[in-house]
Amino acid sequence: MIDISVSSLVKSFELGKNILDGLSFTVNTGERVGILGHNGCGKTTLFRILVGELHPDEGEVMVAPGKRLGLISQIPVYPEGTTTEDVLKEAHRHLYRIQDRLSDLSVEMEHDDSPALLQEYDRLSEDFRRLGGYEMDVERNRVANGLDIPPRMREQLFDSLSGGEKTRVNLARLILEDTDILLLDEPTNHLDLHATEWLEDYLLHFKGTVLAISHDRYFLDRVVQRSIEISEGKAEFYAGNYSFYVEERQHRFEEKLKQYEKDQAKIEQLQRAAEQMHLWAFMGNDKLHKRAFSMEKRIEKLSHSERPREERRLNVKFKQRSFEGDEVLILDGVSKAFGEKQLFSDLTATITGGERVALIGDNGAGKSTLVKLIMGQETPDCGYLALGPAIRTAYLPQQVRFSSDSRSALDTMLYDARCQPQEARDRLAAFGFRGEDVLTPVSALSGGERSRLCLCILMGRDINFLILDEPTNHLDIASREWMEDALSDFEQTLLFVSHDRYLIEKFATRIWYLNGGTLTDFRGGYADFVAWRERQQLLQQNEKSRVKEQEREKKTPAERRPREKNTARALQKIEKDIARLESAIAALQAEAEANAADYQKLMEIEAHRAPLDEELLQLYEQWEELNE
């Protein structure tokens, strides 16, 4: 069954320039599809058309009847003064409307007992029960707790939240809406590794349809089943995830290039033959003109094919200063707190020349603070940090700033990189700033463009220790690959903070995992680290079970008998209490069904049932503990 059908879609924002130019595709129920393409190709425009925020100039979009679409956008926008709780409650807005109408009807029926009012009340009461109105508060709490949205955050204004917090809240809203089709526009932006892994697991078990725009290649590999690339306003189809797309795209390029070269060779051959035919025709055989004209028509058809173009790659390298020595960075007993919040304490580690260290951890763990300590922008509360005497650092922060935002990209290069105009233009061109782009004021650049400009400046410096804080944030896939090309040739020491698992796996030879105020130092790549962490968790579980078993075996039979008797008595009591509560809850459920048309009575029953449900859950947990 088809959930989404897009046919001959055309959309332009500039006269004569179509961002979507005849885009057509279908998505079947339950598919997970990645939408790929360079920045500005129309991916977000497509999503806005799908949800009705924009209207196409031509073509049509069909969504299966009864299917609900939900969009996680890059920048969720809500009215000023909206709290996080208001956003979560948006998921149940239709239930709140029913609830308000039921309250109005209750007041009206005190003075008017007409059958029409009673019928409307009965119908709405049944809708409220069927759609989960009595469970919506419990469900909202469950999802909020699962996505780490605590009560304090729920009271905050939504606009005051960080990017990652906004993404989590918006995701919670969509889950609560029980959406059939999820449209995800950069869902992992600002998410830490833990939250990203949670989202991936949720999507892998999601029964509905998913369309995802993402620059997170690891995420695309794990989640999507097929890929659609938007290129020159049209759709190219790939029957697999991102890694399949990369290989298949290169294969198609090579096939097109072979066909183009074959056509050019054929054109050259036909041109020579046609010229010879015309020559012979002038020598007395007029019939050969017709054959020459026929060849020229074939040449004209073949000449319409264009040479396939490959995306321009980064063609610059970091300037490097050779490093003589062993120690690049030393941490010894480093601690840092802000007020009562202790970020980390007693961090001790050493980085030596040529190592590539990925600093990872959840948001708020203190990764960026540790980098600022290394750069001397913050001071440790105790302990010390030291760089080797011959170390020359370059630093790309999360929030890129320049000496003046009013200068153009070209002027910024001239002032900050201290290079000649032609060198500045050449280096900017290598980073995608060409033509009039170099005259754009820095203040008008996007986050990704600012990062590219900063990198362009850094790459001209003589360095042997490169520090990057979330270097791929805001970068599209092409820009990420540009950066990876440059880093591949950088042979000196690298320390980088990142949630980009593709980047971590490609470059890290060592993992620093900052969690709970301590630093785990793992020598190996990201995949090895994940496998090691899973083994550690399993060992910890086994150790807990072993300790419990040892404690039990240490006791003499005489000591164990009272315990076993007490356990048996406790189990019997809990089982009786469980049976009693289950019976009481069943009775309340039967009473609710008998009074399905009485809104006030149903509210009273739900108020009685909620504490019983909570008590029953606690008894189940106690029963499990005693049976271990």
Side-chain angles (χ1 to χ4, degrees):
M1 179 180 175
I2 295 175
D3 266 2
I4 296 176
S5 174
V6 172
S7 178
S8 304
L9 214 59
V10 175
K11 182 65 181 179
S12 67
F13 296 101
E14 298 178 28
L15 189 63
K17 184 178 180 181
N18 293 335
I19 188 170
L20 301 178
D21 191 14
L23 184 74
S24 298
F25 65 86
T26 60
V27 178
N28 294 324
T29 302
E31 278 194 306
R32 299 191 299 274
V33 180
I35 307 297
L36 307 177
H38 62 78
N39 282 354
C41 73
K43 302 187 296 293
T44 298
T45 299
L46 168 65
F47 274 17
R48 293 180 66 191
I49 291 173
L50 290 177
V51 298
E53 291 181 12
L54 289 176
H55 297 287
D57 300 331
E58 298 177 27
E60 61 179 1
V61 171
M62 300 289 290
V63 178
K67 293 296 181 75
R68 292 167 292 179
L69 278 80
L71 170 65
I72 296 181
S73 61
Q74 289 174 283
I75 308 174
V77 177
Y78 295 97
E80 186 177 351
T82 301
T83 66
T84 299
E85 187 70 7
D86 293 334
V87 174
L88 295 176
K89 285 184 174 180
E90 271 288 299
H92 296 134
R93 55 190 177 278
H94 60 296
L95 289 172
Y96 283 111
R97 284 197 292 267
I98 295 174
Q99 192 176 57
D100 291 341
R101 180 56 183 157
L102 286 171
S103 296
D104 292 341
L105 286 171
S106 295
V107 174
E108 291 179 33
M109 286 190 297
E110 291 178 1
H111 309 286
D112 183 355
D113 58 354
S114 65
L117 287 179
L118 184 59
Q119 287 176 2
E120 183 181 0
Y121 186 91
D122 289 346
R123 177 177 57 79
L124 289 177
S125 295
E126 174 58 23
D127 288 345
F128 190 76
R129 182 196 65 78
R130 178 175 52 81
L131 296 172
Y134 298 109
E135 294 84 32
M136 62 180 174
D137 292 340
V138 174
E139 184 67 7
R140 188 163 60 252
N141 291 336
R142 182 186 69 81
V143 173
N145 292 337
L147 280 171
D148 192 23
I149 304 172
R152 173 189 51 79
M153 188 192 298
R154 293 167 69 170
E155 295 170 1
Q156 288 181 246
L157 289 175
F158 183 75
D159 284 344
S160 71
L161 302 182
S162 69
E165 289 169 339
K166 286 180 178 179
T167 301
R168 290 210 309 274
V169 172
N170 211 31
L171 176 60
R173 176 184 61 81
L174 284 188
I175 292 172
L176 289 167
E177 285 179 350
D178 197 21
T179 309
D180 302 299
I181 303 170
L182 285 177
L183 306 179
L184 310 179
D185 192 351
E186 295 295 347
T188 62
N189 267 12
H190 310 293
L191 291 187
D192 56 32
L193 289 175
H194 174 76
T196 300
E197 288 169 355
W198 186 95
L199 175 60
E200 288 170 351
D201 288 338
Y202 172 78
L203 294 176
L204 289 172
H205 294 90
F206 180 60
K207 302 298 183 185
T209 303
V210 178
L211 273 70
I213 298 169
S214 182
H215 297 144
D216 185 334
R217 293 157 293 177
Y218 206 100
F219 171 84
L220 291 171
D221 267 351
R222 280 206 68 196
V223 171
V224 307
Q225 299 163 313
R226 71 182 181 101
S227 305
I228 298 175
E229 181 186 28
I230 300 178
S231 178
E232 298 180 352
K234 294 181 172 59
E236 288 279 341
F237 303 100
Y238 298 85
N241 61 12
Y242 177 76
S243 292
F244 177 87
Y245 155 80
V246 170
E247 292 183 9
E248 178 63 17
R249 190 168 186 263
Q250 183 62 29
H251 174 70
R252 293 183 190 182
F253 169 78
E254 291 170 359
E255 288 296 315
K256 288 178 182 176
L257 184 59
K258 285 180 184 177
Q259 185 60 48
Y260 173 81
E261 291 171 346
K262 184 178 178 181
D263 289 346
Q264 295 306 302
K266 190 66 177 177
I267 288 171
E268 187 177 347
Q269 178 189 353
L270 290 171
Q271 283 176 335
R272 287 198 305 267
E275 289 171 2
Q276 186 66 53
M277 291 286 183
H278 282 306
L279 180 61
W280 287 340
F282 283 123
M283 294 172 67
N285 191 347
D286 291 341
K287 292 182 180 179
L288 293 177
H289 274 307
K290 290 184 179 179
R291 294 184 64 183
F293 289 143
S294 176
M295 288 180 182
E296 287 169 349
K297 285 183 180 179
R298 287 183 64 190
I299 291 171
E300 185 179 354
K301 288 181 181 179
L302 290 172
S303 297
H304 287 159
S305 63
E306 294 184 4
R307 183 183 182 89
R309 291 175 296 173
E310 198 168 18
E311 285 192 12
R312 191 188 298 262
R313 306 288 291 181
L314 183 66
N315 191 29
V316 291
K317 297 181 180 180
F318 281 99
K319 288 183 69 176
Q320 303 180 49
R321 165 174 288 206
S322 61
F323 173 68
E324 301 294 337
D326 294 324
E327 295 172 343
V328 173
L329 172 68
I330 299 171
L331 306 180
D332 190 356
V334 173
S335 300
K336 186 65 180 178
F338 291 98
E340 296 182 357
K341 184 177 182 181
Q342 182 77 40
L343 280 181
F344 44 76
S345 60
D346 197 28
L347 302 189
T348 300
T350 301
I351 297 177
T352 56
E355 288 192 300
R356 297 183 168 197
V357 183
L359 176 57
I360 67 173
D362 291 345
N363 288 342
K367 303 184 299 297
S368 292
T369 300
L370 179 56
V371 169
K372 288 177 182 177
L373 290 172
I374 295 169
M375 294 303 302
Q377 297 177 3
E378 296 280 355
T379 305
D381 298 335
C382 60
Y384 75 91
L385 304 91
L387 293 172
I391 295 303
R392 293 285 297 274
T393 62
Y395 172 45
L396 177 68
Q398 273 197 61
Q399 302 298 326
V400 175
R401 293 181 176 84
F402 300 98
S403 55
S404 173
D405 275 1
S406 62
R407 291 181 184 141
S408 67
L410 177 59
D411 287 339
T412 299
M413 281 293 295
L414 295 174
Y415 279 91
D416 293 3
R418 299 185 182 278
C419 56
Q420 296 300 312
Q422 190 56 52
E423 182 189 353
R425 283 184 174 274
D426 291 344
R427 285 168 60 180
L428 285 168
F431 276 81
F433 297 99
R434 301 182 182 87
E436 296 297 317
D437 293 344
V438 302
L439 303 178
T440 304
V442 169
S443 59
L445 297 179
S446 67
E449 289 168 334
R450 291 172 74 93
S451 293
R452 272 195 283 142
L453 179 56
C454 185
L455 263 180
C456 189
I457 295 169
L458 292 180
M459 291 182 84
R461 296 178 183 170
D462 204 11
I463 61 173
N464 51 26
F465 186 23
L466 181 61
I467 301 175
L468 309 174
D469 192 354
E470 296 291 356
T472 57
N473 266 12
H474 312 295
L475 298 185
D476 60 16
I477 289 176
S479 297
R480 293 179 186 212
E481 290 174 346
W482 285 356
M483 180 180 291
E484 288 166 7
D485 286 346
L487 291 177
S488 295
D489 294 322
F490 184 70
E491 298 175 351
Q492 303 301 316
T493 309
L494 174 66
L495 172 65
F496 63 103
V497 179
S498 184
H499 296 140
D500 185 341
R501 293 160 296 172
Y502 200 96
L503 181 78
I504 298 170
E505 178 61 23
K506 187 168 184 176
F507 288 104
T509 58
R510 186 174 173 187
I511 305 291
W512 278 5
Y513 178 46
L514 193 55
N515 180 51
T518 63
L519 187 68
T520 300
D521 189 352
F522 179 83
R523 295 182 182 273
Y526 180 72
D528 293 333
F529 170 74
V530 170
W532 173 82
R533 188 176 58 178
E534 290 174 351
R535 288 196 302 271
Q536 293 301 113
Q537 291 171 348
L538 183 60
L539 287 172
Q540 288 174 4
Q541 293 173 358
N542 291 339
E543 179 65 15
K544 286 180 181 178
S545 299
R546 189 182 65 80
V547 169
K548 283 185 179 180
E549 183 63 23
Q550 284 180 342
E551 289 175 353
R552 192 184 72 81
E553 290 178 353
K554 284 179 183 177
K555 295 178 180 179
T556 65
E559 289 174 325
R560 288 201 296 266
R561 275 195 294 271
R563 164 67 180 168
E564 290 168 357
K565 287 181 181 179
N566 290 337
T567 300
R569 290 196 195 99
L571 279 170
Q572 288 177 357
K573 183 179 184 307
I574 289 174
E575 287 168 356
K576 286 181 181 179
D577 289 342
I578 288 173
R580 174 180 56 78
L581 284 173
E582 287 178 338
S583 177
I585 291 170
L588 287 173
Q589 181 64 32
E591 188 177 357
E593 291 174 359
N595 294 275
D598 190 338
Y599 171 72
Q600 295 293 341
K601 185 66 175 176
L602 287 173
M603 293 296 287
E604 292 174 9
I605 293 170
E606 181 60 27
H608 286 302
R609 176 175 172 170
L612 296 182
D613 284 336
E614 183 65 29
E615 186 181 352
L616 182 60
L617 183 60
Q618 292 175 0
L619 287 174
Y620 284 147
E621 291 174 353
Q622 292 174 20
W623 188 88
E624 288 178 9
E625 289 176 3
L626 288 173
N627 274 282
E628 286 182 353

